[in-house]
Amino acid sequence: MLRSRSGVFLALVISALGTGCGMVVNHSPEVRAGPIPSPKTVAPGEVVQMLFEVQDPDGDGMEYYWTQSPAEPAGRFSDPRSRAPTWTAPDVDGPKHFLLQVNVVDNEGGGVLGTAPSVLVRVP
């Protein structure tokens, strides 16, 4: 029985020291708006502006990683590492939908994935 009490005591001491030693819980970034493409229907070569508002509750710096799906034919982001880039639609043979996504990671390893409504690229 003495052994059980010392184990509980040790667990309580470690728990108390852990919370008193500056261990801070990181909160992931929070999406406030978007991502929203504007316009949602374009011709090849036209530009789509992305609206995206995100904040980190801890005030950590954030990095952005934009991608499109499907990957081919490839459109072009003005800067795939910026918060709200533009995207230039690729050449297509017929109507094609693209999903534009952003992965946001804070400096402490928290992250969130944002997916925009699909963008339709139509041949005029």
Side-chain angles (χ1 to χ4, degrees):
M1 191 74 154
L2 182 57
R3 182 174 259 189
S4 175
R5 287 185 186 160
S6 64
V8 170
F9 176 73
L10 181 59
L12 290 172
V13 169
I14 290 172
S15 176
L17 288 175
T19 59
C21 290
M23 291 179 64
V24 178
V25 174
N26 181 51
H27 299 91
S28 293
E30 297 174 352
V31 174
R32 297 293 185 201
I36 300 170
S38 179
K40 293 179 184 166
T41 302
V42 294
E46 289 186 344
V47 176
V48 175
Q49 177 65 55
M50 300 303 297
L51 168 69
F52 185 59
E53 295 178 20
V54 61
Q55 74 174 37
D56 188 274
D58 306 315
D60 299 329
M62 296 177 285
E63 295 179 8
Y64 308 91
Y65 302 93
W66 286 89
T67 59
Q68 76 173 51
S69 180
E72 296 295 331
R76 186 176 44 81
F77 287 100
S78 58
D79 181 356
R81 301 292 182 249
S82 70
R83 182 184 53 81
T86 60
W87 180 76
T88 303
D91 288 331
V92 293
D93 295 334
K96 188 159 185 108
H97 287 269
F98 291 90
L99 290 178
L100 306 178
Q101 297 180 313
V102 59
N103 187 14
V104 183
V105 180
D106 70 21
N107 294 348
E108 299 297 321
V112 64
L113 179 67
T115 302
S118 68
V119 175
L120 175 61
V121 179
R122 289 194 302 205
V123 177

